[in-house]
Amino acid sequence: MNSRRHLFTSESVTEGHPDKIADQISDTILDTLIAEDRNCRVACETLLTTGLAIVAGEITSSAYADVSSVVRNVVREIGYDEPEMGFCYKSIGVLVTIDEQSPDIAMGVDGDPEKGKDQGAGDQGLMFGYATCETDSYMPFTIAYSHKLAMRLAEVRKKRILDYLWPDGKTQVTAEYVDGRPERVTAVVVAAQHRPEVKYEQLRRDIIDEVILPTIPEEMLTDGTKFYINTTGKFVIGGPVADTGLTGRKIIVDTYGGVGSHGGGCFSGKDPSKVDRSGSYAARHIAKNIVAAGLARECEVQIAYAIGVAEPVSVLVNTFGTSTVPEADIEDAVKEVFDLRPRAIIERLDLLRPIYRKTAAYGHFGRDDPDFTWEKLDYVETLKRKV
């Protein structure tokens, strides 16, 4: 925990950001397949640019996904439905290049209960989960409110409260921390794509009145809080026309906004046999229950795996000096209580369901949604008893 007075910043993006469009397409393909085939193996990536979507990856499944239709439906639902935007679901080309999962990987990952062979990890790697008591969602304040701003930006567009907005957008929150807790917001940054005819003065006033002030808690704003709105003056050219979109390029937005560590692997487009996804969800579940149990004010959990091996090669609990009991005791309790083999994680968190598209925008963590099972506080009492 950093106890000195300091500033910290996190950012989020809207569902219309090109990287997030790519994430949502990849996860919608996963949802389409896993709804019919719980044993599908999916590693699917999407590349977006002007007028073109390229979907590539390795998929093994008995189900079928009409990839072209998935791409167009996702783009339409996000809001790219006007040719004037330069990227429209009606006119984009879709190129698909998909192979089956490598048999060398499959033989290590696929379990065989009849032969006593457990499901192995889908890859080697390290995953992190984090939780803090500074918000009700157990998320860092800056990323929690960056997401809220991005969601509000999409809401005022879709409800036509600000009917001149287009889908692309980014948000950013800077907070001053004192003794490890957020005390005030010093800066809010919003970039909102818009129709060419809107005047900057109107857009700036509307974004402050309809997006920022209804979202950021009043007590966190001061006379010195700075609002930076479309600071280049205009943001008409956006989406995949302005920037190439790629699955897995917003991993800090997806997680904790730069707080804590990141193992480097993305989540979207991967079925839960890939521990980049399931292991990270499990680590968040553990960290959140530790903090909710009052065992620490802040907690980070690291889990690491070897491909084809069920048991993790390491588990680490770090409470940054905030634990109320010996940290080693918490770690021992975690190892005793939580089965971290991939199959056990998948079963405990009920991950073989078509729930993934909605994870692909506004963060995978801190969401109040029953499908986000890794957010449940269902091990609080168990951890209290074990420590």
Side-chain angles (χ1 to χ4, degrees), residues 173-186:
V173 174
T174 300
E176 182 177 36
Y177 282 72
V178 178
D179 294 328
R181 297 181 182 275
E183 186 172 271
R184 66 188 181 97
V185 171
T186 62

Side-chain angles (χ1 to χ4, degrees), residues 143-343:
I143 187 63
Y145 280 92
S146 292
H147 285 324
K148 288 177 186 291
L149 286 169
M151 294 176 77
R152 178 62 181 170
L153 199 57
E155 181 182 29
V156 298
R157 170 177 62 88
K158 291 179 175 180
K159 290 183 176 180
R160 303 189 67 80
I161 296 169
L162 302 181
D163 60 3
Y164 55 77
L165 291 182
W166 279 348
D168 199 357
K170 301 180 77 172
T171 59
Q172 187 170 288
V173 174
T174 300
E176 182 177 36
Y177 282 72
V178 178
D179 294 328
R181 297 181 182 275
E183 186 172 271
R184 66 188 181 97
V185 171
T186 62
V188 177
V189 182
V190 177
Q193 188 190 16
H194 59 85
R195 294 181 180 276
E197 63 269 19
V198 67
K199 301 297 184 183
Y200 175 75
E201 293 75 16
Q202 178 188 352
L203 182 141
R204 175 180 168 80
R205 182 176 63 252
D206 287 348
I207 293 296
I208 292 172
D209 291 344
E210 298 291 347
V211 177
I212 297 175
L213 295 182
T215 302
I216 303 295
E218 183 179 0
E219 65 273 15
M220 296 296 289
L221 298 173
T222 70
D223 292 340
T225 303
K226 297 179 180 179
F227 299 142
Y228 298 96
I229 315 298
N230 284 22
T231 49
T232 63
K234 69 175 183 177
F235 182 9
V236 174
I237 301 172
V241 176
D243 291 294
T244 301
L246 187 64
T247 300
R249 200 156 55 182
K250 285 291 176 285
I251 58 176
I252 300 303
V253 172
D254 284 343
T255 52
Y256 308 102
V259 177
S261 307
H262 198 294
C266 80
F267 307 149
S268 289
K270 297 177 181 177
D271 75 84
S273 73
K274 281 71 172 173
V275 285
D276 280 338
R277 178 163 231 156
S278 54
S280 296
Y281 289 178
R284 161 66 175 176
H285 186 217
I286 295 167
K288 185 175 180 180
N289 276 268
I290 288 171
V291 174
L295 302 179
R297 286 176 49 198
E298 182 182 9
C299 181
E300 182 176 83
V301 174
Q302 186 201 54
I303 312 170
Y305 292 91
I307 188 169
V309 179
E311 294 285 350
V313 299
S314 69
V315 178
L316 172 68
V317 174
N318 182 5
T319 62
F320 306 95
T322 69
S323 62
T324 58
V325 297
E327 196 171 68
D329 292 349
I330 301 175
E331 190 172 287
D332 288 343
V334 166
K335 293 176 181 177
E336 180 182 350
V337 169
F338 292 95
D339 188 339
L340 294 175
R341 294 172 299 164
R343 184 178 299 279

Side-chain angles (χ1 to χ4, degrees), residues 26 43-47 54-59 95-99:
S26 295
C44 176
E45 310 215 7
T46 303
L47 169 70
I54 301 173
V55 179
E58 296 77 44
I59 295 177
L95 176 63
V96 181
T97 171
I98 291 175
D99 295 315

Side-chain angles (χ1 to χ4, degrees), residues 27 31 354-363 367 369-372:
D27 269 341
D31 281 349
I355 59 172
Y356 295 107
R357 177 179 170 178
K358 58 185 172 182
T359 69
Y362 312 116
R367 306 271 290 278
D369 186 313
D371 283 334
F372 288 52

Side-chain angles (χ1 to χ4, degrees), residues 61-73:
S61 178
S62 61
Y64 171 73
D66 184 341
V67 173
S68 181
S69 293
V70 167
V71 171
R72 295 183 193 282
N73 287 337

Side-chain angles (χ1 to χ4, degrees), residues 88-127:
C88 178
Y89 78 97
K90 297 177 183 178
S91 58
I92 56 173
V94 180
L95 176 63
V96 181
T97 171
I98 291 175
D99 295 315
E100 290 191 340
Q101 183 186 63
S102 163
D104 293 347
I105 296 175
M107 69 180 181
V109 176
D110 296 339
D112 189 345
E114 292 184 2
K115 295 182 180 180
K117 182 172 182 268
D118 201 354
Q119 177 176 328
D123 200 353
Q124 72 177 56
L126 51 147
M127 300 86 217

